[in-house]
Amino acid sequence: MTSTTREACFNGPSTLHCEAARNAVVDLQWRVKVPGMDEWITFSHCNQLGRCVVTRPMLTKGIKVLNSSLDTVTLQRIAENKTNDHARIMCQVHYSNYPPRVNIYEIKFSATCVWIPKGRDLNLTRILLNMLSCERVVDIDLFNVNGSRFAYCNSCQACTKTNSTDGNHLMPVFWNRLRVKRGSLLLTNIQENDDGRTIKVKVHMQTPRRDNGTNMDYTLTIFVNSSRGSPEKENKTLPTASAKSDCTKRKSHYWNGSQCIPCSGCSPGFGVTSTCSSKQNTECQLCWRGFDYSNTTGFEPCIPCDQFSNCLEGNAKKIKKCTIFSPPICEGCADGNFFDPGIE
């Protein structure tokens, strides 16, 4: 088991990559645990075909699941509930020929994320103005992820480039693209290798009760060309009560909090544990290897391995074991038995 700390966007979606996902994956489960929870809650299952089912699209404490795949999951802390900024995310992987592996990610929703097209100029001063209460700011230092200071700001707006690395760090690779224009600090000509770039912001702020003020640390993450996704635009039109009421009358639909959408079926390898209703989507659970299976996408529970099998207990030669996707298959008699055509 490995544990990694990650900073995620508080103002948009963030994608986690399951490092344990590799070849020969049989199934993968994504789970969540937030402060105050005693147990891990499974919110997504993926089978070996890469088909994933999100069983809990809205997690505890206002964390929303936007997408799930065999090796990634995309989460967003929704605007309606920003009281919680920590979560633990687990990906648990079972293999056909390796022991299971578990990765745990300590997530802190604290990074300010910016999405910008390739070739554009990123106005860092404007971002600082949006992030901070500038009337209390004394000065600001900007660092790259390796600790090299590349800019200094006297308050939020009077920013200049610096080359003060204290002899311990190399200047950032984007140093030559930094410009000061019309009083704003710009990272010019955004490139593909800027995708995922992290900038650390250290702010010295005045406080009424401390003569020396206080230091605050912030993180800015850049995403290019929407390669990691872009924030969902908030729907400013609130759903009407009649729309929600109409959803209860529609068969195989449920209300997700903002609209009425069709119920999801369980993928092969998964069975229904809770049927879809007007208030919630279908909940699915991974079938148990060797006990039951599901070979279709639908709304039924997992099928016991022997329910539709041609194997007879004690005297059938099994040529294929029961998997989570198919029943066992038998052909002929098992060793020590013979076929008697007179017995039906």
Side-chain angles (χ1 to χ4, degrees), residues 57-58 64 78 80 235 237-241 243-244 247 253-261 277-281:
M58 188 64 68
K64 185 178 182 180
I78 60 175
E80 288 79 1
N235 184 2
T237 304
L238 296 177
T240 63
K244 184 175 181 180
C247 190
H253 284 69
Y254 75 100
W255 184 257
N256 71 347
S258 60
Q259 59 183 327
C260 192
I261 61 177
S277 68
S278 60
K279 297 181 180 180
Q280 68 174 26
N281 195 11

Side-chain angles (χ1 to χ4, degrees), residues 167-183:
N168 298 319
H169 305 284
L170 297 175
M171 292 308 300
V173 295
F174 55 84
W175 165 256
N176 292 329
R177 290 189 286 124
L178 286 172
R179 299 285 188 275
V180 177
K181 295 182 180 180
R182 299 175 184 173

